[in-house]
Amino acid sequence: QSATIGQCCFEPGSLKSTYGTGAFVLLNTGNKIIYSKNRLLTTIAYRIKGKTTYAMEGSIFIAGAGVQWLRDKLRFFNKASETEKIVKSLENNRGVYLVPAFTGLGAPYWDANARGVLSGLTRDTGPKEIIRATIESVAYQTYDLFEAMKHDGLRPKIVKVDGGMVMNNWFSQFLSDIVNVKGLRPKVQETTALGAAFMAGLQIGVYKSLKDISKNWHLDKKFSPKMNVSFKNKLLKGWSKAIKKTLIN
């Protein structure tokens, strides 16, 4: 919720997605309470002077935590920032998929008993492919949330992204390609802390309104979808197969 404010998602239909340890997509639904028919959560975005603004939320349990796992448990690299160069060095994921259900799967599956699945391995598979599959999995999980929103009649045109993972330009572009929505990355990445500061400022009169707060949002980089549609569909088909393997465990 705080990141939603930090990203100045004050208009109904505006959406942000935060990629920290987990990932959280929040879509502002204004004064409407929308109950999802596709296993998303209905939540309060914020309440100001007794007026409540609602949101629809999708929760991904493992985002940046997957990168931490690669670094700390598998020791594939020393710093998370190295991953961008590694994934760029590969033309594609070579059919390797990781479903990071390390603590079960969140929205829209809600399967606490699911466990991680690494599939499509061959003798050519090495650390680089597994790194790329892990990072790609975050975009695929976001796609699943966007599809759930779409079936609830909500179609965001722009996603404001933040959190440590979006500093990886390759990931931010891949995300935009997979969800087929323009991605906007702000200059200030720590949007959760920023949102708390904005609300405190509003309360004590530093800011006069939400419109006043919005003037402080500045774009760092824009990402537009450019992936070939049939290639994207092929990737998503592979992800769908990997998810099915995870859910039958």
Side-chain angles (χ1 to χ4, degrees):
Q1 277 82 350
S2 192
T4 303
I5 291 151
Q7 284 277 37
C8 299
C9 291
F10 301 133
E11 296 297 318
S14 57
L15 176 144
K16 72 90 205 173
S17 196
T18 301
Y19 296 94
T21 307
F24 299 90
V25 176
L26 252 80
L27 174 75
N28 185 322
T29 61
N31 57 8
K32 281 187 190 168
I33 302 174
I34 298 175
Y35 292 108
S36 174
K37 294 186 176 78
N38 296 278
R39 309 184 83 190
L40 298 174
L41 306 175
T42 302
T43 187
I44 291 173
Y46 50 86
R47 184 179 288 135
I48 297 168
K49 292 178 182 171
K51 189 185 170 194
T52 304
T53 297
Y54 297 94
M56 192 162 274
E57 180 182 348
S59 318
I60 295 168
F61 295 158
I62 301 289
V67 179
Q68 288 173 336
W69 171 71
L70 295 171
R71 183 192 65 197
D72 302 339
K73 294 291 184 188
L74 301 188
R75 302 188 185 280
F76 282 168
F77 45 81
N78 294 318
K79 289 181 183 171
S81 55
E82 294 169 40
T83 57
E84 184 171 352
K85 193 177 174 184
I86 293 165
V87 294
K88 271 183 173 174
S89 70
L90 296 176
E91 269 185 49
N92 55 58
N93 71 359
R94 295 186 183 170
V96 177
Y97 288 87
L98 174 83
V99 182
F102 302 147
T103 54
L105 278 176
Y109 302 103
W110 299 115
D111 188 340
N113 297 315
R115 287 296 173 262
V117 166
L118 185 59
S119 63
L121 305 183
T122 67
R123 285 183 65 182
D124 289 331
T125 305
K128 285 183 180 180
E129 285 76 17
I130 295 169
I131 291 165
R132 178 146 167 167
T134 304
I135 288 170
E136 286 181 343
S137 75
V138 181
Y140 294 140
Q141 290 176 94
T142 307
Y143 170 84
D144 291 342
L145 297 181
F146 273 56
E147 280 297 287
M149 284 182 179
K150 192 167 91 178
H151 289 117
D152 280 328
L154 303 164
R155 291 175 179 266
K157 294 177 178 67
I158 288 171
V159 53
K160 289 180 170 179
V161 297
D162 55 84
M165 272 194 86
V166 302
M167 293 312 290
N168 180 329
N169 290 309
W170 185 90
F171 166 71
S172 294
Q173 180 57 52
F174 186 75
L175 176 70
S176 173
D177 285 332
I178 291 298
V179 298
N180 197 33
V181 171
K182 192 181 289 179
L184 304 180
R185 185 174 72 195
K187 283 195 171 170
V188 178
Q189 290 302 307
E190 298 300 332
T191 53
T192 305
L194 185 63
F198 279 158
M199 285 306 251
L202 183 66
Q203 189 65 26
I204 63 167
V206 174
Y207 305 109
K208 292 175 179 60
S209 63
L210 295 179
K211 200 172 179 181
D212 197 15
I213 289 172
S214 293
K215 292 172 190 168
N216 294 278
W217 191 93
H218 301 290
L219 178 70
D220 172 46
K221 199 168 169 62
K222 188 187 290 182
F223 301 90
S224 298
K226 57 184 184 186
M227 187 182 280
N228 175 283
V229 176
S230 60
F231 180 63
K232 182 189 84 169
N233 290 340
K234 186 183 167 192
L235 292 178
L236 287 167
K237 199 174 174 184
W239 170 252
S240 179
K241 281 183 186 173
I243 279 282
K244 281 173 186 151
K245 288 169 188 168
T246 311
L247 295 173
I248 52 172
N249 286 335

